[in-house]
Amino acid sequence: MIRGRGLRFGVLGQLEIVRDTAPVIIASPKQRIALATLLLQANKFVTKGELADRIWENGLPANVCASLHTHMSRLRQALGDDGSLIMTRDSGYSVFATEETLDILRFRNLVSLAAEARRRGDIEHESRMLREALALWRGPALADVDSESLQCEVVPALERTHACARTLVRRGDRPR
């Protein structure tokens, strides 16, 4: 978990939300799925249709727009969001996050910096960036988010990147 302004989020393990130093509990499974979906696509708009499909995998409710609005309102309330964290447009929602507030953004940046270092032939810097990236992982990604679609469609790619980083670090540990 990375220190940020008030709220910090973690998806590289169980879904984790912290305000300053206190955990924020989101008990509703549907709100957890919505938040995880938004965090995985931080700073991009997620359509209402995609959110609805993730939340109601086994069939949409009769009034999906009203139900989605209710869940998003309750999620905002639980997060203490004044509208600056979760943005709304007619077509969907977006969550604002930075490397300092969301572990997956930091992880992706560190992996990118490691790749740049490797291209430059700086294996020591590459190894340092990969170790820092790996230290962000607290277990299987989104292990406690009950969404078959996230677990089947999104988490495997994250786990492959994690495994690749572990392999590269081990390879860099070998004497040359």
Side-chain angles (χ1 to χ4, degrees):
M1 189 70 55
I2 308 299
R3 268 216 160 300
R5 304 173 317 177
L7 278 173
R8 298 179 323 263
F9 300 93
V11 297
L12 302 178
Q14 293 188 350
L15 180 62
E16 190 172 53
I17 307 125
V18 177
R19 177 178 302 288
D20 300 320
T21 59
V24 175
I25 305 301
I26 307 293
S28 164
K30 288 178 176 34
Q31 291 166 30
R32 293 172 63 75
I33 292 167
L35 179 59
T37 300
L38 291 172
L39 290 171
L40 289 166
Q41 298 181 59
N43 305 315
K44 298 176 186 169
F45 271 88
V46 177
T47 67
K48 289 179 179 179
E50 182 180 344
L51 271 175
D53 288 342
R54 293 263 190 237
I55 294 170
W56 294 285
E57 294 173 320
N58 298 320
L60 299 174
N63 193 342
V64 68
C65 286
S67 295
L68 182 59
H69 177 77
T70 298
H71 281 292
M72 295 306 293
S73 293
R74 289 180 180 160
L75 176 60
R76 280 189 171 113
Q77 184 178 27
L79 295 172
D81 180 23
D82 61 1
S84 62
L85 176 65
I86 300 175
M87 279 69 68
T88 306
R89 286 192 185 158
D90 288 340
S91 61
Y93 298 89
S94 177
V95 67
F96 174 76
T98 66
E99 271 187 54
E100 292 74 32
T101 61
L102 178 56
D103 61 359
I104 192 170
L105 294 180
R106 180 76 177 141
F107 175 78
R108 288 174 176 158
N109 186 52
L110 289 166
V111 168
S112 177
L113 291 171
E116 289 174 22
R118 184 170 196 75
R119 282 191 294 277
R120 290 190 318 268
D122 188 348
I123 304 306
E124 185 178 314
H125 187 69
E126 175 197 21
S127 180
R128 197 168 45 252
M129 294 297 97
L130 289 172
R131 287 180 193 286
E132 193 175 329
L134 290 171
L136 296 170
W137 285 76
R138 298 169 285 106
L142 297 172
D144 62 339
V145 176
D146 189 22
S147 168
E148 187 176 327
S149 65
L150 285 175
Q151 296 300 327
C152 292
E153 297 168 17
V154 179
V155 169
L158 290 173
E159 296 292 344
R160 282 191 300 275
T161 305
H162 183 225
C164 183
R166 282 194 328 260
T167 300
L168 288 171
V169 165
R170 280 196 302 270
R171 199 175 291 153
D173 286 343
R174 293 186 196 139
R176 298 192 184 268

